[in-house]
Amino acid sequence: MRSDCMQRRVISAKRLFKRCSLYLLALLLAGNDGKAERCFISALDECVEQTGVVSAWAITFTRRAIIEHAIQMIQPVPRKAIAFH
C-alpha cells in the first residue's frame, strides 16, 4: 500500500518536472514570459490535436513543437525588399 502511494508520487513528480522543463525550454527560446506561455500552450495544443502521437513519444513531440513555435514566434518578418535597378 505504501509503495503504491510512493510510486504515484514519484510518477507525479516526474510529470511535473517534464512539464516544467518544457516550459523552461519555451522561456529560454522565446525570451520572455508572455511569449513563452503562448509558445508552450500552442505547442501543447498542437500535440493534443495530433491523433497519431504515441504516448511514449509525447514529450519528444512536444519538445519539437515548442522549438518550432519559438522559431516562428521570434523569426523577424522581412521588410519589403528594396529593388535595386
Side-chain angles (χ1 to χ4, degrees):
M1 179 83 152
R2 189 172 191 150
S3 64
D4 289 340
C5 181
M6 184 61 85
Q7 188 174 18
R8 278 190 238 122
R9 286 183 182 178
V10 168
I11 290 170
S12 295
K14 285 181 181 179
R15 287 180 182 162
L16 180 62
F17 176 76
K18 286 178 183 177
R19 286 186 200 133
C20 289
S21 66
L22 290 173
Y23 180 77
L24 287 174
L25 175 64
L27 182 60
L28 288 170
L29 293 172
N32 67 42
D33 285 331
K35 287 181 180 179
E37 187 175 334
R38 288 194 306 271
C39 177
F40 183 73
I41 299 222
S42 62
L44 287 179
D45 286 344
E46 181 181 326
C47 293
V48 168
E49 290 174 4
Q50 297 291 327
T51 57
V53 176
V54 179
S55 61
W57 288 93
I59 296 295
T60 303
F61 188 82
T62 305
R63 187 179 305 120
R64 180 180 175 161
I66 287 171
I67 294 168
E68 289 174 351
H69 284 264
I71 290 169
Q72 291 171 359
M73 191 173 289
I74 63 172
Q75 183 176 16
V77 178
R79 292 185 182 188
K80 189 174 182 179
I82 301 172
F84 292 100
H85 295 237

